[in-house]
Amino acid sequence: MRSLKYAHSFEVIRELPDALAHLKDLAYNLRWTWNHEAQELFRDTDRELWSQLEHNPIELINQLSAERIQALMDDDVYLARLSLAKKDLDEYMAGSNWFDTKYPGERAETKIAYFCAEFGIHECLPIYSGGLGVLAGDHLKAASDLGIPLVGIGLLYARGYFRQFLNSEGWQTEQYPQYDFYRLPLKLVRNDEGAPIRVKVEFPDRTVTCQIWKAQVGRVPLYLLDSNILENSPRDQTITDTLYGGDEEMRIRQESILGIGGFRALVEMGLKPSVCHMNEGHAAFLSLERLRQFMNEHGCDFRTARQCVVAGNVFTTHTPVPAGFDIFHRPLLEKYVSKAVSDLGLPFEQFLRLGRIQKDNPEENFNMAVLAMENSNYVNGVSKLHAEVTREMFHDRWPNYPLVEVPIEAVTNGIHTPTFMSHRMIDLFDRTFGADWRDDSSARSTWERVSEISDEDLWELRENERGDFVRFCRRYLRKRMAMNNASPMDVQQVNSVLDPRILTIGFARRFATYKRATLLFRDKERLKYLMNHSERPVQFVFAGKSHPRDDGGKRLIQDIVHFIRNEGARNRMVFLEDYDMNVARHLVRGVDVWLNNPRRPMEASGTSGMKVVPNGGLNCSILDGWWAEGYKKGAGWAIGDGKEHGDEGHQDWLDSKALLDLIEHEIAPTFYYRAENGLPSRWIEMMRHSMADLAPTYSTLRMVREYASRFYVPASRSFNRMGAENLTAAKSALIWRDKVESEWGKVRVTHVHDSAGPAASLGTEFEVHAEVELGGLSPEDVRVQVLVGQVTSNRELVNLDLHDLHHVGTQGPIHVFEGKARCDYAGHKGYIVRVVPHREDVNVPAELSLVAWEPSAI
């Protein structure tokens, strides 16, 4: 017999004595991942086990010895701490919150579902690969802190993302461990009879069944779908096996499970959302299932359902280049989603148009981001620059609107500060400000008080954090070397790796080639000179994974490893294998400077650099992503001038030279200059500026409050209004849209004049008079607007200001509109008048991209 299969199965549960029972309550609520007192309690339960088990409290409980359990029961101080931790959790769960204060009475009608392909909550739940997942995890934590009625939906990967090992040549290899979900902080979702709740997703040739697991993240539940059950064929059991693994066909299977299965799971559990937030395009198929269920529930057609559903969808894109979006070819789409499309009564050709930028171009492949965008009234990028880049990518969907009005907004990412802020810094804040600051770690008033912390205390903290980090690196390297059967002599040499007194620069992220991990190495001799400088030495810590199929990224890792081994850099540079959230936390707390040097504008946002800020670290970055808006002189450093050159090789050379110049002439001298008291006063002042200016802004509390106020609450209200009273509002909106579209060809601006004359004084107003034909439309159906801007050398209008004109009368078929505009800026100014549709409950131009422009004078 090759292998023995079980005939019966059951779960064995570790029962704890009553005195320790609350350990399980704490373990199964992942709020402990950002509650330092709970973390310290688990650590003190058994320090060696806690470290060995990758900080997994469920495994910690399962493996506690009888002797250790008895010792804990006899420890009155430990039992008191356990009781306090449980009391703190209960008070957190039941306490008042921002959402109910801001939107009293709206909780019952507001239900938000946040869909993402990965969630980075903690290293003990390895269903994340990088920045997107950690951002999603931080989003849930912030939603919990704010009391927002939100649930997360994702996939539970049996093998997670890969574990990274470097072979003897420094080449990345991948290993995929098999995880036992019963030994993770998860619970299988069951019905009232105790049977697992399951959902089915139909593919044209078969049906796949998934069960649902729940991770509790503070007040927010995270539901994760798992296809590894006996009802499925062996090939379908592996659909939720690996994060971002497999080929294009595996990807469409996973995305069908995430979108269609995820929405069905919510409904099956009685959690029908009013708002669905698609965090990246992986979940875009949810719009099909949401439409199908809405049509069945209300007995309406596709168009009416879509008028309602689109009002309740939000889409966030994190991708700065077209190649980053999920693209599917028609045969694969027909194979996997033709059933979902036919259930809508939608011809497949019409469905394909929903996934193309150029709707009528049959050569364009299907883009999941376009599908998500087409079915969402609220779309955003994740930084101001990224929103600009995304508007350019999708401008062809709104060809009649100027670029700045393409309806893609910006909500800049943030970090969940308590997750990444060091214990030392939290203790220092507690001593200085009292523990109440923890109630809102994004409060600007708190961070502005950093000036009250003495130079001595701030610098002592930084020195201690750097020392802790160096010790962590040495332990980590010894552990990895032992796994690779290194010789005792090699292991002994680790004791001289890094120096706790030296300026330490960190670089850790996904090793995509555009992130240019080896930009420093373009001048190796100068780099070695800086590392071994007699007065101002610099040391570097690198970490990160390359996608298994990205040989370019793997070569970057290999280049760094070879430099360390072959250029005498072992004591001044290390590469930490198998980057995860544990390594990340140590890095962002321990380094003095966080380095980020992507090729602009390819970093959508980036959040790793934000994580050093509340720990007193400084950023040195290309002016891309969040740093393009966050950089302030005196609070960090900017590499280059923000300009982009067409020649990538030349750009890399310029940026590498600028980076090495910064380190040699600004960063290192500032760090090593000591005043009479022996402290680097200028460096400490920069720390204060960075913390006061950046920490409150680049917080997920600020970010999620923005999502709630700008998107979630308006979307929920709109969806509920459209679906009320037998869909009266939706039907009325559709009738109006049909009328506008049929009459729009008759809308035109016939005459415009103004009071500006050939020259106007700065700060004055001028009047604009516009005469417009509206065909069968009324003045209430439109807005007539004047767009005022600067005239460039090629006669284009830029830096636009928009002013509404008001209807003042009718002369036969002509409607007269008038209004005023201001001359706020000197120079050559111009304006143009236009007409756009307007109705309060229709999102223009997201839903209706129509414009009638005044004929240009050119």
Side-chain angles (χ1 to χ4, degrees):
M1 182 179 292
R2 183 178 300 173
S3 63
L4 189 63
K5 304 290 187 181
Y6 67 84
H8 311 278
S9 70
F10 52 90
E11 184 179 359
V12 177
I13 299 172
R14 175 66 179 271
E15 296 292 351
L16 290 172
D18 289 346
L20 300 177
H22 290 326
L23 270 177
K24 280 194 172 183
D25 299 323
L26 296 176
Y28 277 106
N29 190 318
L30 287 156
R31 191 231 178 183
W32 63 261
T33 63
W34 71 94
N35 181 268
H36 295 294
E37 287 77 16
Q39 290 175 29
E40 290 170 356
L41 185 73
F42 286 128
R43 181 198 63 194
D44 292 343
T45 301
D46 190 313
R47 286 177 177 253
E48 187 173 346
L49 269 181
W50 182 242
S51 177
Q52 288 176 1
L53 300 173
E54 297 186 318
H55 312 124
N56 179 350
I58 304 303
E59 271 294 79
L60 176 73
I61 292 169
N62 288 339
Q63 296 193 29
L64 281 176
S65 67
E67 293 78 10
R68 185 57 187 157
I69 288 176
Q70 187 59 53
L72 294 174
M73 292 178 62
D74 294 337
D75 187 340
D76 291 340
V77 173
Y78 178 88
L79 294 178
R81 291 171 61 199
L82 175 58
S83 178
L84 281 173
K86 176 61 165 63
K87 181 175 182 287
D88 179 68
L89 175 61
D90 291 344
E91 290 176 349
Y92 174 87
M93 296 295 287
S96 60
N97 61 77
W98 173 85
F99 184 86
D100 288 336
T101 301
K102 179 76 173 177
Y103 302 104
E106 297 211 33
R107 177 173 295 275
E109 299 299 322
T110 308
K111 297 179 178 64
I112 302 134
Y114 181 89
F115 287 73
C116 192
E118 53 174 303
F119 287 89
I121 309 293
H122 189 264
E123 63 268 18
C124 76
L125 190 58
I127 55 171
Y128 63 94
S129 71
L132 176 69
V134 176
L135 184 280
D138 282 7
H139 195 110
L140 300 193
K141 294 173 184 178
S144 171
D145 289 341
L146 295 168
I148 291 175
L150 179 145
V151 301
I153 308 292
L155 301 180
L156 185 56
Y157 303 100
R159 301 173 71 190
Y161 201 53
F162 68 87
R163 306 300 297 266
Q164 179 194 55
F165 291 86
L166 303 184
N167 66 19
S168 59
E169 297 300 316
W171 188 258
Q172 173 183 292
T173 61
E174 298 86 28
Q175 294 185 12
Y176 293 87
Q178 191 80 24
Y179 295 105
D180 181 352
F181 301 151
Y182 292 95
R183 299 164 76 175
L184 299 176
L186 300 167
K187 291 185 178 179
L188 192 61
V189 179
R190 301 177 183 273
N191 60 23
D192 293 340
E193 288 74 42
I197 294 178
R198 293 182 171 174
V199 294
K200 298 181 182 295
V201 177
E202 302 86 3
F203 295 149
D205 56 344
R206 65 192 188 279
T207 296
V208 176
T209 303
C210 294
Q211 59 189 1
I212 309 162
W213 296 79
K214 176 184 175 183
Q216 189 68 37
V217 186
R219 297 176 172 118
V220 170
L222 168 60
Y223 296 102
L224 302 165
L225 273 66
D226 165 28
S227 70
N228 188 17
I229 59 176
L230 290 177
E231 285 88 332
N232 293 327
S233 67
R235 65 170 176 166
D236 288 334
Q237 291 173 18
T238 65
I239 291 177
T240 57
D241 209 19
T242 305
L243 174 59
Y244 302 143
D247 56 11
E248 185 179 356
E249 186 162 7
M250 179 58 79
R251 207 163 69 246
I252 199 171
R253 291 178 194 165
Q254 288 188 340
E255 296 184 10
S256 297
I257 297 293
L258 175 62
I260 296 172
F263 191 85
R264 289 181 181 176
L266 289 174
V267 175
E268 187 68 25
M269 293 183 292
L271 300 171
K272 187 179 295 185
S274 58
V275 176
C276 288
H277 184 172
M278 293 168 273
N279 194 42
E280 262 308 344
H282 308 113
F285 289 141
L286 79 82
S287 58
L288 306 181
E289 179 62 17
R290 193 176 188 193
L291 285 163
R292 183 190 71 83
Q293 293 205 24
F294 193 95
M295 291 167 64
N296 290 345
E297 179 182 353
H298 293 275
C300 64
D301 63 0
F302 172 78
R303 287 190 72 223
T304 307
R306 189 162 176 270
Q307 184 66 37
C308 299
V309 166
V310 169
N313 284 345
V314 177
F315 171 54
T316 298
T317 173
H318 298 253
T319 307
V321 291
F325 296 115
D326 273 343
I327 304 294
F328 293 120
H329 297 87
R330 177 171 182 155
L332 206 56
L333 285 165
E334 288 183 319
K335 180 177 180 180
Y336 283 97
V337 297
S338 58
K339 173 68 165 59
V341 173
S342 66
D343 286 345
L344 300 176
L346 189 67
F348 205 78
E349 288 295 335
Q350 188 70 17
F351 166 69
L352 292 176
R353 297 179 81 249
L354 296 177
R356 298 177 184 145
I357 297 176
Q358 301 281 355
K359 293 180 183 294
D360 298 317
N361 178 9
E363 302 301 315
E364 183 179 338
N365 288 319
F366 192 90
N367 186 319
M368 291 293 282
V370 176
L371 177 65
M373 195 175 293
E374 190 74 21
N375 286 289
S376 302
N377 268 356
Y378 304 87
V379 180
N380 72 283
V382 289
S383 70
K384 292 177 182 177
L385 179 59
H386 178 235
E388 293 174 11
V389 170
T390 307
R391 290 184 200 114
E392 286 194 28
M393 282 195 287
F394 293 100
H395 192 193
D396 285 350
R397 290 189 69 243
W398 293 273
N400 295 320
Y401 277 80
L403 184 62
V404 294
E405 288 192 297
V406 171
I408 298 171
E409 300 186 50
V411 178
T412 303
N413 283 343
I415 61 153
H416 188 251
T417 305
T419 295
F420 296 98
M421 195 171 177
S422 75
H423 293 217
R424 290 182 188 276
M425 188 66 82
I426 288 174
D427 290 342
L428 179 59
F429 272 41
D430 284 348
R431 293 196 308 270
T432 308
F433 311 133
D436 288 349
W437 74 271
R438 297 195 195 188
D439 294 339
D440 183 0
S441 59
S442 69
R444 186 165 294 277
S445 58
T446 295
W447 293 97
E448 288 173 345
R449 292 182 64 193
V450 170
S451 59
E452 299 174 19
I453 302 175
S454 69
D455 286 4
E456 289 79 7
D457 284 346
L458 269 181
W459 191 242
E460 180 184 14
L461 181 142
R462 283 302 317 140
E463 297 268 62
N464 287 331
E465 291 288 5
R466 192 185 318 107
D468 288 346
F469 178 56
V470 169
R471 286 185 287 274
F472 166 80
C473 289
R474 292 173 180 174
R475 289 195 306 271
Y476 194 84
L477 290 170
R478 280 194 290 267
K479 177 182 175 182
R480 302 297 298 189
M481 294 175 77
M483 293 170 65
N484 294 327
N485 298 313
S487 69
M489 183 176 295
D490 287 338
V491 174
Q492 184 65 28
Q493 289 179 350
V494 170
N495 292 332
S496 61
V497 166
L498 305 179
D499 186 324
R501 300 161 298 178
I502 286 180
L503 170 62
T504 304
I505 298 177
F507 179 101
R509 52 189 39 82
R510 182 168 53 92
F511 266 65
T513 51
Y514 80 86
K515 293 180 182 283
R516 301 188 298 182
T518 56
L519 190 69
L520 278 166
F521 297 80
R522 290 181 70 91
D523 189 340
K524 293 180 181 178
E525 293 306 314
R526 189 176 181 193
L527 176 59
K528 287 190 288 185
Y529 166 76
L530 294 176
M531 293 166 64
N532 297 296
H533 195 284
S534 59
E535 297 178 354
R536 298 188 296 273
V538 185
Q539 59 192 10
F540 298 87
V541 180
F542 287 86
K545 297 177 178 179
S546 171
H547 189 281
R549 293 191 295 273
D550 183 4
D551 284 351
K554 291 183 179 182
R555 274 191 291 273
L556 295 178
I557 294 172
Q558 188 178 48
D559 288 345
I560 293 171
V561 173
H562 282 182
F563 179 85
I564 294 170
R565 291 176 180 175
N566 303 329
E567 300 288 345
R570 290 178 185 267
N571 293 345
R572 290 285 187 268
M573 184 179 291
V574 297
F575 185 92
L576 301 178
E577 294 178 58
D578 204 29
Y579 184 48
D580 66 2
M581 289 186 72
N582 180 44
V583 175
R585 283 195 304 273
H586 284 88
L587 266 162
V588 299
R589 294 168 181 175
V591 300
D592 299 296
V593 176
W594 193 262
L595 177 60
N596 186 35
N597 43 234
R599 186 174 290 115
R600 177 186 162 107
M602 298 181 71
E603 185 80 275
S605 174
T607 56
S608 57
M610 300 175 187
K611 292 161 188 161
V612 303
V613 171
N615 293 298
L618 299 174
N619 277 273
C620 176
S621 177
I622 295 288
L623 290 167
D624 196 8
W626 79 282
W627 196 237
E629 62 194 77
Y631 167 69
K632 291 183 175 65
K633 189 173 179 60
W637 293 274
I639 305 168
D641 55 9
K643 295 180 180 177
E644 299 157 30
H645 301 269
D647 185 329
E648 288 186 355
H650 182 60
Q651 183 74 64
D652 292 350
W653 178 82
L654 288 173
D655 290 343
S656 67
K657 186 176 184 302
L659 172 56
L660 290 167
D661 283 345
L662 270 178
I663 295 172
E664 181 174 5
H665 300 302
E666 294 190 38
I667 298 175
T670 305
F671 180 87
Y672 284 106
Y673 174 76
R674 299 294 195 264
E676 291 182 1
N677 58 5
L679 300 176
S681 54
R682 174 61 182 143
W683 189 276
I684 295 170
E685 193 59 27
M686 292 184 73
M687 288 169 54
R688 284 200 178 93
H689 285 165
S690 172
M691 296 169 78
D693 290 342
L694 304 177
T697 301
Y698 298 99
S699 159
T700 43
L701 292 179
R702 183 273 311 158
M703 179 190 84
V704 175
R705 281 194 293 258
E706 277 197 58
Y707 276 111
S709 59
R710 293 169 57 187
F711 300 159
Y712 293 162
V713 171
S716 184
R717 290 170 177 169
S718 180
F719 174 79
N720 291 330
R721 184 172 60 251
M722 285 285 174
E725 299 176 351
N726 196 29
L727 312 182
T728 299
K731 293 172 183 177
S732 176
L734 281 176
I735 293 171
W736 177 83
R737 286 179 60 169
D738 290 342
K739 179 184 73 171
V740 169
E741 289 178 324
S742 66
E743 294 291 323
W744 199 254
K746 304 172 186 175
V747 175
R748 63 192 186 101
V749 180
T750 59
H751 177 69
V752 175
H753 66 261
D754 60 66
S755 63
S761 298
L762 180 65
T764 61
E765 292 183 329
F766 64 95
E767 296 181 353
V768 178
H769 172 100
E771 297 175 4
V772 178
E773 290 183 2
L774 296 177
L777 302 181
S778 71
E780 291 75 27
D781 293 324
V782 300
R783 275 185 173 160
V784 179
Q785 300 170 324
V786 55
L787 281 75
V788 183
Q790 177 184 348
V791 179
T792 67
S793 57
N794 61 356
R795 309 297 192 271
E796 290 184 356
L797 283 178
V798 296
N799 302 325
L800 299 174
D801 289 319
L802 186 147
H803 306 271
D804 286 331
L805 304 182
H806 307 288
H807 187 253
V808 296
T810 304
Q811 301 169 3
I814 300 297
H815 294 271
V816 179
F817 292 79
E818 293 180 348
K820 295 180 179 180
R822 285 185 60 83
C823 301
D824 288 329
Y825 304 99
H828 189 191
K829 309 293 285 188
Y831 73 87
I832 189 169
V833 172
R834 72 177 182 190
V835 186
V836 296
H838 172 68
R839 182 181 166 104
E840 288 296 337
D841 55 3
V842 175
N843 194 332
V844 177
E847 293 185 61
L848 197 59
S849 180
L850 298 174
V851 190
W853 291 96
E854 171 192 0
S856 174
I858 297 175

